[in-house]
Amino acid sequence: MKYWIGIDFGGMSVKAGVFDEKNNLLAKDAAATAKEDGYEATVRKTAQLVRALCAKAGAGQGCLAAVGMGTPGVIDGAAGMVVRWTNYDWSDKPFAADLSQALGVPVRISNDANVAALGEAKFGAGRSYRDSILLTLGTGVGSGIILGGKILEGSGGGGGEAGHMTIVVGGVPCPCGRRGCFEQYASATALIRDTKRAMFEHKNSGMWEMVGRDIERVDGRTAFAAAEAGDAAGREVVKNYVMYLSEGILNLANIFRPEAIIVGGGVSGQGENLLRPVRRYVGERLYIDCERIPFAIVRAALGNDAGIWGAYALAREA
């Protein structure tokens, strides 16, 4: 019996899952990580997690076929390199080769959003589609593009960053250095910001009562709940959010024309309250209508495990 391990690397933790050849997730585990650990210690800690996970699943390390890994930052998957990971201050680190040397098995690596997109494409909401794009609506807007069942990384791993396409020229400043980026209008962070702004502009909005008149209790659900209750300010926030999200989806659809856009991240928890108006908005404006070329907008299915499933798929390609 052969086994594969999928690793999802984050800023504060690394989590991993071990899979068998029948696509069964046998066990999961996680370990804390920190920038202060340094690169070499992080490689060792990741290798220790893999060994511990093999033991937990009852799989001897000699049965381990390969490891896949999703990591934040600009990742050149073909070279196995972390080109740049700002939060950890890593540049040009041969993470795949160094982990492979520590474990004695092949290691494949790609950007974490790309890997999550691969997970949804192979095992989640995108299983019925050959071409799909995952958008994760969280602190920012993450994205991964899957064409022909493969990750589209772009030259040197620098592509696929849909969160940084311009939606509003000269708009809200973005940490990337530009203004008006998609994630400044379609992320959960943007939704919370715009909800708070609407509340200050409409002091009689029911959203104040919903949060006990404590503005810091506002989250990505507040405006949607208010809109559903008939609150005018909440409806306006949701209407604008749907517009910006839909415009980004239209851009991606018109450029790549995937069979599906998969929506994940915290805001996707609104389900059909979000996706129904997005489908309507997109359907009315799509360059080639859905009847001529089918196009779906669906909710992600794998949740926080998309990364390890995608990393497993990456490992199987090795």
Side-chain angles (χ1 to χ4, degrees):
M1 178 75 75
K2 288 290 186 182
Y3 300 91
W4 292 261
I5 283 183
I7 299 173
D8 184 13
F9 217 101
M12 294 185 291
S13 68
V14 54
K15 58 184 180 180
V18 58
F19 298 81
D20 66 15
E21 55 198 23
K22 296 182 179 179
N23 299 331
N24 295 310
L25 174 57
L26 303 178
K28 294 191 293 183
D29 208 343
T33 58
K35 175 182 177 179
E36 292 72 24
D37 291 341
Y39 173 70
E40 289 78 10
T42 300
V43 173
R44 289 196 299 272
K45 183 176 289 188
T46 306
Q48 289 167 2
L49 175 62
V50 169
R51 296 186 188 102
L53 192 55
C54 285
K56 185 175 182 179
Q61 194 176 334
C63 298
L64 184 61
V67 172
M69 183 163 54
T71 306
V74 178
I75 311 298
D76 186 342
M81 298 284 292
V82 177
V83 177
R84 183 70 175 135
W85 183 4
T86 305
N87 288 351
Y88 268 33
D89 199 25
W90 288 3
S91 294
D92 300 320
K93 298 294 187 183
F95 202 179
D98 288 342
L99 186 60
S100 176
Q101 184 175 14
L103 294 172
V105 298
V107 175
R108 292 282 307 275
I109 186 172
S110 188
N111 169 269
D112 55 348
N114 291 341
V115 168
L118 186 64
E120 287 288 350
K122 297 289 188 181
F123 303 107
R127 283 177 296 176
S128 301
Y129 311 107
R130 184 168 171 79
D131 303 324
S132 62
I133 296 175
L134 174 68
L135 294 176
T136 54
L137 312 177
T139 304
V141 172
S143 59
I145 301 168
I146 307 298
L147 299 180
K150 301 290 185 180
I151 294 171
L152 177 66
E153 285 192 335
S155 178
E161 294 290 344
H164 296 290
M165 62 181 172
T166 299
I167 293 294
V168 179
V169 175
V172 177
C174 182
C176 78
R178 302 177 69 207
R179 302 179 72 97
C181 290
F182 186 31
E183 73 171 36
Q184 294 304 312
Y185 295 87
S187 63
T189 304
L191 176 59
I192 293 168
R193 176 200 67 211
D194 291 347
T195 302
K196 290 179 177 180
R197 178 185 297 146
M199 289 169 64
F200 282 121
E201 291 175 353
H202 301 276
K203 295 297 180 63
N204 61 343
S205 168
M207 290 188 284
W208 284 104
E209 299 305 320
M210 286 182 174
V211 299
R213 309 202 69 81
D214 180 0
I215 197 73
E216 297 308 317
R217 290 177 57 191
V218 170
D219 60 23
R221 297 167 292 187
T222 305
F224 279 90
E228 195 170 1
D231 182 79
R235 283 179 172 172
E236 188 66 18
V237 172
V238 171
K239 177 184 175 183
N240 288 333
Y241 182 81
V242 165
M243 175 186 69
Y244 289 123
L245 175 59
S246 299
E247 288 292 343
I249 288 174
L250 281 164
N251 289 344
L252 294 169
N254 289 338
I255 295 169
F256 296 102
R257 197 55 190 236
E259 295 169 277
I261 294 281
I262 302 169
V263 181
V267 184
S268 72
Q270 295 303 317
E272 288 301 307
N273 287 337
L274 171 66
L275 298 184
R276 192 181 303 109
V278 168
R279 291 190 195 105
R280 183 166 56 248
Y281 187 106
V282 170
E284 291 171 353
R285 296 164 176 83
L286 201 57
Y287 179 61
I288 302 174
D289 65 63
C290 296
E291 291 185 3
R292 298 186 66 183
I293 302 178
F295 174 68
I297 300 172
V298 299
R299 184 180 174 187
L302 298 178
N304 292 331
D305 283 344
I308 60 174
W309 279 96
Y312 160 61
L314 204 62
R316 289 297 295 254
E317 291 179 4

